[in-house]
Amino acid sequence: MLETDRIQLHKLVEEALPELDMMIGWTESCDPLQTTPVFIRDAKLISKLTLGPFCSQNLAGYLVKPPALESVPKDAKPIGICVKGCDSRSLVALIQEKFISRDRVRIFGIPCRGTIDWRKVAQRVGLSDVKSATVEDDFLVIDASGTTHRIGLEDVLARKCLGCRYPNPIIQDVLVGQVATPRSSSLETTYRDVDALDNKPIEERLAFWQSELDRCIRCYACRNACPLCVCQDKCIAETREPRWLTQRVGLPEKFLFHFIHAMHLAGRCTGCGECERVCPMDIPVTLIKEKLNKIMEEMLGYSAGLDPDGVPPLLTFNPGETEI
Amino acid sequence: MTDSSPRSSAPADQTAANTQGIKIVGFLCNWCSYGGADTAGVCRFKQPTDLRIVRIPCTGRMDPLFVAKSLIYGMDGVLVSGCHPRDCHYAVGNFYARRRMEALKLFLPFMGIDTRRFRYTWVSASEGQQWQKVVTEFSEEIHRLGPNPGVGPRSGENSKISNGLR
C-alpha cells in the first residue's frame, strides 16, 4: 500500500512540478529508519521522494526560516510541500499569522499513521546494521544484524503520535493515499502525559523538571526546529537588548529559556513534536507546550492550526469572558 | 533583578525572622492601580513594605515572562494590577492581559512553581482602600508561604551537566 502511495505521489509531483518553484519532500537517508528533507527542482529527482512512517520531519518550517523569506519575487511560482496531519496544522498557523500566503504553497497532504521514533527503536534493537524496516499492521518489522525483530507499533511511535487527533491534513490541494483513523478522540488520551505529571504533588513536578532541564545544554535546537518560532535573529533568548538571558549554565536560565519558548507558543503550538524530536539531550520539551495547549483548549476552547481564518487566542480578546 | 533575600529550600516557616527579607514585585498600570497605590498613600492607609513597584503603561504591556522571570530568579511574590475590565485607558489592553495572566496562572504549577506566589487583580485610581486590602492580603499570603525556594542553584555548581562542561 505504501508503494502505491509513493507511486501516486511521484505521479502527482511530476504533473505539478512545471508549475512549481520547488518541491519539498522527504527522501531516504543513511538508514531505513530515518528520512531526510529533499528540495526538488529537477524532474529526475522525483523518484527519490518517499513517504511513510519514517518521514518524521515537519517541513513547514522551511517555508519561513532563512533563506526562505529573502526577497520572494511577486510573480514567484508556488512551492510544493508534503505535509502530514500535524505539519498541515503548522501550515495553517503560519497562514493565520500571514507568514505565508495560501496561494504560495501547493500542499500535498499525506494521511499519517504515526511516525517512528528511531530513539525508541535504538533502545530496543540497537541501530547497527539495519537492513530494512517496514510497518506491517500494528508492528514494526526490522531486519537488523541478521535477525528479524517484530515490535509493537505503540512501543516505537513518537510520543506525540500516540495521542494524535488529526492524522489527516487540515488543508491540502491533493491528498495522497487513504484517509487515516485518529489514534485519539478525547482530551484524556491526547493529554495523558500532561495529566500524569499534573497528578503528582508540586514538589515532584519541580523535581521532575529540575532533573530534565538540568540536562539542557541550551543548544536551541528545539527553537530552531520549531516551525512557529519565527523571530529568528530577534529571539529574546539571544538578543542583548533586551537582555533576558545570560550565558550562565544554572537551572534558572534553563527554566527561563523553556518558559520563553513555551509562552511564545502559547495558543500557537500545533503539537508537531519537532522540539522534542530534535532535542539532543532527550528532554520531553513538547510536554511543556502540551500543557499550554491543554490550557488553551479548556479555558478558551481553542486548538491551534485548525482554521486558516482563526486568530491565536492570546493575540485577541473577548470582553464577555467575565469568568477568567 | 538583584537579589539579596535569604534563599532556603526549607519548608515555609511562619516565624517573623524567616520572612524578613520577603520581596514582592508589583507590576502596576500607570492609569489606575499605580494611581490607586498613590491614593492609598495620600490617604495614609497603612501598607506592607515588601512591595517593589514597577510602573507599566498598561497591563496590556505585561509579558507573562516578566512574572516567570521574577519567580524563577527568586522573587517571593508577583502582583499584577490594572484597570477594571472595560475601564482600560487604551480601551482593550486589560482584555489581552486577562487571558495571558490566567493562562500563566494555570501553567506555573505544571513547572513546579507555586501559583499562589502570583496574583493578578484590578484596582482603579480612586480605590485606595481596595488597594490597601489587595496588597495587605497578598503580602500576608506570601509571608505565610515564606521565601521562594526558586527552581534550583543559580550558578550551576550542583548541576551535573554544567560541571561536566566546565
Side-chain angles (χ1 to χ4, degrees), chain B residues 2 4 24 34 37 50 64 76 80 84 87 92 102 107 113 117 127 140-142 147 157-158:
Chain B
T2 55
S4 59
I24 302 173
Y34 196 81
D50 317 309
D76 300 305
V80 175
H84 289 279
D87 243 5
V92 294
E102 185 63 26
F107 177 59
I113 297 172
R117 295 189 182 277
E127 293 177 319
E140 277 168 7
E141 165 104 62
I142 299 300
E157 287 101 2
N158 302 336

Side-chain angles (χ1 to χ4, degrees), chain A residues 198 205 209-210 214 244 249-254 259 288 291 299-300 313-315 317-319 321 324, chain B residues 64-66 68-69 72-73 86 92 95-96 98-100 102 107 109-110 151 153-154 159-162:
Chain A
D198 251 341
R205 270 176 265 159
W209 286 116
Q210 280 173 334
D214 189 35
W244 275 85
V249 289
L251 266 173
E253 283 79 17
K254 296 170 184 180
F259 259 89
I288 307 174
K291 171 65 182 179
M299 183 170 90
L300 302 162
L314 295 194
L315 302 180
F317 62 89
N318 172 10
E321 286 163 350
I324 64 163
Chain B
L65 292 169
F66 293 164
K69 185 168 182 178
I72 285 171
Y73 281 91
R86 294 179 190 275
V92 294
F95 287 141
Y96 287 101
R98 189 164 63 176
R99 283 187 163 188
R100 292 170 186 174
E102 185 63 26
F107 177 59
F110 186 72
V151 296
R154 268 183 106 155
S159 161
K160 276 165 259 152
I161 185 78
S162 46

